[in-house]
Amino acid sequence: MKALVLEEPKKYSIQDLPVPEIGDDQCLLKVRVASICVNDVRDYQGGVNWTYPRIGGHEYSAVIEKMGKNVDTHTFHVGQQVIAFVLEDCGYCYSCKHEHGNICDNSTKGTFYYNEGGISGFKGFAEYVAMDARHLYPCPDDTPDDLLSLTEPLACVLNSMNRSNIEFGDDVVVIGGGAMGMLHVLCAKKRGARVILSETDAKRREFGLELGADIVINPLECDPVEKVKELTNGRGANVVLNTTAIPAVAAQAIEMTAKSGLCNMFSSIHPNEPIPVNAGRLHSQEIYVTGTQNGTRKSFAQAIDCISKGILDLRPLIEKIYDYTDVVEAMEFASRPDTYKVLMRFSKGE
Ligand SMILES: [Zn+2]
Ligand SMILES: [Zn+2]
């Protein structure tokens, strides 16, 4: 099979590798479409700690090519469209036992990040992937495979939504108008909120309005904390969803959260410098500051439901679909700050 091997930052080679062997409880998946995550872009640009060579790709749609002998034939069949829950939650650690498998204590112990002497990565940038059947979600066969490749990013956002308790009539601030920010805009609108998008780029603000944001603000032209207070009778926003990595913005996110409101650090923070927090205000105003990481098993199922039932239309977020053989072009395009989701096609349905 062909696989996209990132030998070192900025150096992709398309290699012929053996098709993975499957165990009795596994399925061999034929990858249809893989979407490029910001993490794949970081791997490509360099500056991460993971070992190379890597085969990235954790946002992909696939069909079952072959089934191990123990795989339930009532649930699965060859040719079926499926999505893989890409995190290998071990199932036995403290976090997994408490239904927090998305932050499994053993999540970095497999080969996703470190594989001395071998190939690390999630391995979705290849023609075939072996996956335990317990990680698979059956999907309707008529759901477009390019939309389904966005299941993982949507699942991350739905995990954020599930923790955010947005109520009808709430003011919700989404900070950052990248792909994850726009997914938050779409989801918060569905929850009945007035959505305020804070974004520095004019084109992205315009796009945010097209996707349903009610108000857009430019944090370079105003004090975003003051602006949000001005828009909300001095209260601040009921829910603030921070999708940017900048520490100073994280501090502002907490500052613009209303009394008894919630602020979610959705993005990882780079560089992760501590920020000043007014702890007295958190106390006296009962403000809840949290974070969310990854999708959960439940939010993956919800993401597939939202995509396959047409509840959320993610089509506008798909910027371009490349053939996988054009991986370098696709990575360069995805590296540009003005692009949304860039996809690569590995195979087509009949
Ligand atoms: Zn991702
Ligand atoms: Zn675990």
Side-chain angles (χ1 to χ4, degrees):
M1 68 163 187
K2 302 285 187 203
L4 307 180
V5 181
L6 183 59
E7 295 181 50
E8 57 188 76
K10 290 272 184 182
K11 194 178 170 207
Y12 260 109
S13 65
I14 301 175
Q15 294 186 10
D16 259 313
L17 297 178
V19 173
E21 297 281 337
I22 55 165
D24 292 344
D25 298 306
Q26 290 191 312
C27 288
L28 182 69
L29 307 184
K30 183 174 187 169
V31 176
R32 283 272 176 84
V33 178
S35 162
I36 298 174
C37 182
V38 69
N39 294 310
D40 296 310
V41 171
R42 283 197 197 119
D43 294 347
Y44 176 68
Q45 298 293 351
V48 295
N49 301 322
W50 327 134
T51 60
Y52 293 80
R54 271 178 83 69
I55 300 175
H58 57 270
E59 305 176 358
Y60 59 88
S61 60
V63 289
I64 295 177
E65 175 82 5
K66 201 168 134 190
M67 289 165 48
K69 73 174 183 349
N70 294 343
V71 175
D72 177 13
T73 52
H74 297 289
T75 308
F76 298 110
H77 61 264
V78 169
Q80 184 176 29
Q81 183 158 237
V82 289
I83 286 292
F85 183 72
V86 285
L87 307 162
E88 272 187 328
D89 48 354
C90 70
Y92 54 79
C93 74
Y94 182 92
S95 297
C96 282
K97 289 290 186 224
H98 290 79
E99 295 181 355
H100 301 301
N102 58 309
I103 44 174
C104 167
D105 302 350
N106 294 316
S107 63
T108 57
K109 289 186 184 156
T111 59
F112 287 164
Y113 300 101
Y114 307 99
N115 191 7
E116 289 300 341
I119 300 177
S120 68
F122 290 85
K123 314 255 173 31
F125 290 164
E127 286 184 296
Y128 295 98
V129 186
M131 191 54 78
D132 290 0
R134 73 180 186 97
H135 290 312
L136 298 181
Y137 294 79
C139 303
D141 288 327
D142 61 357
T143 306
D145 51 14
D146 52 353
L147 292 178
L148 273 179
S149 76
L150 302 179
T151 297
E152 192 270 349
L154 179 59
C156 294
V157 172
L158 292 180
N159 180 25
S160 168
M161 285 291 127
N162 290 343
R163 270 177 94 92
S164 299
N165 301 321
I166 295 170
E167 301 209 46
F168 279 93
D170 274 356
D171 282 308
V172 172
V173 173
V174 176
I175 305 178
M180 303 315 271
M182 293 310 187
L183 286 172
H184 275 93
V185 169
L186 290 172
C187 292
K189 278 308 286 182
K190 285 280 174 194
R191 282 268 171 109
R194 177 171 73 162
V195 177
I196 302 165
L197 172 68
S198 175
E199 163 61 43
T200 55
D201 183 81
K203 266 203 202 134
R204 289 191 158 196
R205 289 197 299 275
E206 196 53 45
F207 187 45
L209 289 170
E210 282 169 32
L211 291 180
D214 297 279
I215 300 168
V216 288
I217 64 175
N218 179 358
L220 297 179
E221 279 176 357
C222 63
D223 176 337
V225 176
E226 288 311 312
K227 187 73 193 171
V228 168
K229 286 191 173 163
E230 189 189 306
L231 290 165
T232 55
N233 290 329
R235 295 183 50 80
N238 304 91
V239 174
V240 179
L241 304 160
N242 180 24
T243 72
T244 68
I246 308 154
V249 176
Q252 289 174 340
I254 298 171
E255 279 303 302
M256 65 175 72
T257 305
K259 201 185 259 191
S260 82
L262 176 144
C263 178
N264 184 30
M265 299 301 166
F266 175 83
S267 173
S268 53
I269 305 291
H270 303 278
N272 190 12
E273 283 155 7
I275 55 168
V277 173
N278 182 341
R281 196 174 146 263
L282 300 189
H283 156 72
S284 61
Q285 301 196 356
E286 300 194 346
I287 291 164
Y288 185 52
V289 179
T290 185
T292 50
Q293 159 89 324
N294 298 326
T296 63
R297 286 199 173 260
K298 178 180 173 180
S299 76
F300 262 72
Q302 291 176 302
I304 293 165
D305 287 340
C306 286
I307 293 170
S308 62
K309 295 175 189 174
I311 294 169
L312 291 169
D313 179 16
L314 307 188
R315 180 70 60 197
L317 293 175
I318 297 179
E319 193 81 48
K320 202 165 174 181
I321 308 181
Y322 286 88
D323 190 83
Y324 75 93
T325 53
D326 297 321
V327 55
V328 172
E329 220 181 302
M331 280 293 163
E332 287 296 333
F333 189 59
S335 301
R336 278 169 42 176
D338 60 336
T339 55
Y340 285 92
K341 294 307 283 184
V342 179
L343 277 45
M344 292 186 287
R345 180 168 287 286
F346 283 79
S347 70
K348 268 201 172 84
E350 282 81 46

